[in-house]
Amino acid sequence: MADRLTQLQDAVDQLANQFVASLYYINKHHDLQTLSATDTVRQEKKIEGDQDPGEKEVDPYPADVFRAGQKELAQDLIIKEQQIEAFISMLPGLDNSEKDQQDTIRQLEEELMAAEQKRKEAVKEKEAVLARLESVIRSVKRP
Amino acid sequence: MAEQPQANALASLFPTPPPFWQSFTAKNVARIEELRAAQAGPEHTSHATATSLPIRLLELPTELRLLQPPEPPKDGIYRCFGDTYNLNEELPSLEEQGIPQVYTPPATPTGSGKHFDRALILKRLAKSLLLNFLELVGIMSVNPEQYAEKVQDLRNLFINFHHLLNEYRPHQARESLILMMQDQLDRSKAETEGILKMKAQVESVLEELGKKGLVEKEQNEPLMLEDGGKEDEDLSSDVWTELRKEFG
């Protein structure tokens, strides 16, 4: 798992991607309108459409689908932004200064050494006890 | 034709480690530690932190010479896989990259200040991003030709955001280190505890056995049971019931 800082940066990049995607969606799928009575919507779709339907400049969606798509994109933007704010609030150690951190690290280092020492002692004792137990078991099994 | 890739794979085998790895025997390492401790004097020995380089020893026997890390390059540049790197890589400031800084710089993470203001700035930037995008969409709907300025604004905001986060990285690295150390400490403590617990358990079993006189009896018993395990099992059955009681 990536650290939170990277997650945040990824989220920001995703937001940028969503911006572009939203604009692209509107640009690609909006409906064509006539501005005055004399205008007509050019039917270029029909000419080019046969050869390469994927390359149409505008591919109008029905009004309700278009609006639903718009709404979803807008909601996604808001959600992403809220996610970013949540990440910001969760950045590790916002309330620690560098000095605090170094003090903590030093203290932990000492504690670690002490714990390691204790652990080694415990292992030694364990081995001694194990040896005793083994000798007992051996004497039981093979008298 | 089919053999071509294989030949390439052979040609690009992972390089063997440099020859001096053979000098790093446990004996040599212990020996150089000793020499270093002697050189540093008694007051330094316990507090060698990870940040300080080990003391350089001037006269060393040849087999230990390779254990001495070389001096860091004097000009601050080193080469790795054909690229040059700087020893202390610095984050170029926004001005150096020709990007306007849109926030008042918070206390740098290297200072002793706290970081609440940093989070606040980041949140403001995030909101500005959304607002600017809204404005961009608005402008595009009225006059698509005038997008350039707003897009530039958005770009600046994004770069500022990333810059702030990158400044925060060393802080986060230290924070992760603290977490990891805490983790290791907890694990070490738990392990010690587990060992001690097991030891106590085993000791109590031994004690019980001793109370029953089994241990002594077993140890003093002359070894005369040659023919099979009948009596053997009788003797040990007490031990097994005892063990079963203990470990369920």
Side-chain angles (χ1 to χ4, degrees), chain A residues 57-118:
Chain A
E57 197 177 330
V58 177
D59 175 23
Y61 278 3
D64 54 334
V65 177
F66 181 64
R67 288 220 61 90
Q70 258 184 325
K71 199 166 171 214
E72 197 184 328
L73 284 167
Q75 271 170 352
D76 284 352
L77 282 177
I78 299 296
I79 288 172
K80 188 49 84 180
E81 141 81 19
Q82 277 166 350
Q83 218 179 64
I84 287 173
E85 285 197 22
F87 276 137
I88 293 172
S89 314
M90 281 192 307
L91 278 182
L94 277 175
D95 46 354
N96 290 338
S97 68
E98 180 174 349
K99 203 172 153 299
D100 291 346
Q101 287 179 322
Q102 288 193 342
D103 288 349
T104 317
I105 290 175
R106 203 152 297 138
Q107 190 195 334
L108 278 172
E109 201 178 334
E110 276 164 28
E111 277 181 41
L112 262 180
M113 275 198 227
E116 179 66 16
Q117 198 62 37
K118 262 195 206 155

Side-chain angles (χ1 to χ4, degrees), chain B residues 152-218:
Chain B
Q152 187 61 35
D153 283 356
L154 272 172
R155 190 180 119 87
N156 285 343
L157 280 173
F158 272 121
I159 292 177
N160 270 280
F161 201 100
H162 274 291
H163 185 76
L164 258 177
L165 286 184
N166 281 333
E167 267 184 2
Y168 197 74
R169 286 224 170 247
H171 188 83
Q172 144 128 353
R174 280 189 293 270
E175 205 64 33
S176 314
L177 177 64
I178 287 176
L179 276 183
M180 277 158 66
M181 288 174 89
Q182 192 73 54
D183 234 35
Q184 196 180 349
L185 189 61
D186 289 348
R187 243 182 299 135
S188 174
K189 275 184 179 162
E191 198 184 333
T192 310
E193 212 167 284
I195 290 172
L196 288 181
K197 222 162 141 194
M198 195 201 80
K199 197 192 104 194
Q201 218 172 10
V202 171
E203 263 173 353
S204 78
V205 172
L206 283 175
E207 218 164 281
E208 289 277 316
L209 292 177
K211 247 186 241 159
K212 292 203 151 199
L214 260 175
V215 177
E216 281 83 356
K217 203 173 121 201
E218 284 300 318

Side-chain angles (χ1 to χ4, degrees), chain B residues 4 37 42 49 66 80-82 90 93 96 102-103 106 112 142 158 162-163 191 217:
Chain B
Q4 200 64 17
T49 50
L66 289 169
C80 182
F81 295 120
E90 274 190 23
S93 73
E96 283 169 31
V102 295
Y103 56 90
S112 60
V142 177
F158 272 121
H162 274 291
H163 185 76
E191 198 184 333
K217 203 173 121 201

Side-chain angles (χ1 to χ4, degrees), chain A residues 7-26:
Chain A
Q7 271 182 315
L8 180 50
Q9 282 184 326
D10 285 348
V12 174
D13 287 346
Q14 281 162 10
L15 186 69
N17 269 332
Q18 285 183 356
F19 285 172
V20 176
S22 307
L23 281 180
Y24 180 79
Y25 177 83
I26 295 174

